[in-house]
Amino acid sequence: MTEGASERETPGLRPGPRPGPPSPRPAPPQAAPADEDGPDPRVQAVLSDLEKLAELPVGEHLAVYERVHAKLREVLQTAGQQPPETP
């Protein structure tokens, strides 16, 4: 029997990777405790936005990351200051 053209191997070429199921998404990072009193609630509130990533299309992730980054910078700039009183 002769081999068909699709069954022949070309010397020096190896088959490429085979498609498979998508890799699972990593869990959003968890905030480390700021001190013995526990995590800063402002940081926890900002990081909770990352939990929404699983529900969004990948194309919208960058906007979420940029918002979280901006909010975290704001929290860091006011670190050590008393949060404003809520009426």
Side-chain angles (χ1 to χ4, degrees):
M1 246 193 207
T2 61
E3 295 181 78
S6 63
E7 295 175 9
R8 288 188 213 141
E9 291 186 23
T10 305
L13 295 180
R14 295 187 175 141
R18 299 199 184 267
S23 300
R25 293 184 178 159
Q30 300 296 318
D35 55 25
E36 63 253 11
D37 295 333
D40 184 320
R42 297 175 300 166
V43 172
Q44 290 294 80
V46 172
L47 291 180
S48 70
D49 290 347
L50 293 177
E51 295 172 3
K52 300 171 188 168
L53 288 175
E55 302 166 7
L56 297 173
V58 174
E60 295 179 23
H61 288 194
L62 180 59
V64 173
Y65 288 131
E66 288 175 341
R67 267 194 317 272
V68 167
H69 182 249
K71 289 178 185 178
L72 286 174
R73 287 178 57 98
E74 183 179 317
V75 169
L76 287 172
Q77 288 173 348
T78 61
Q81 297 176 8
Q82 196 71 329
E85 296 286 327
T86 52

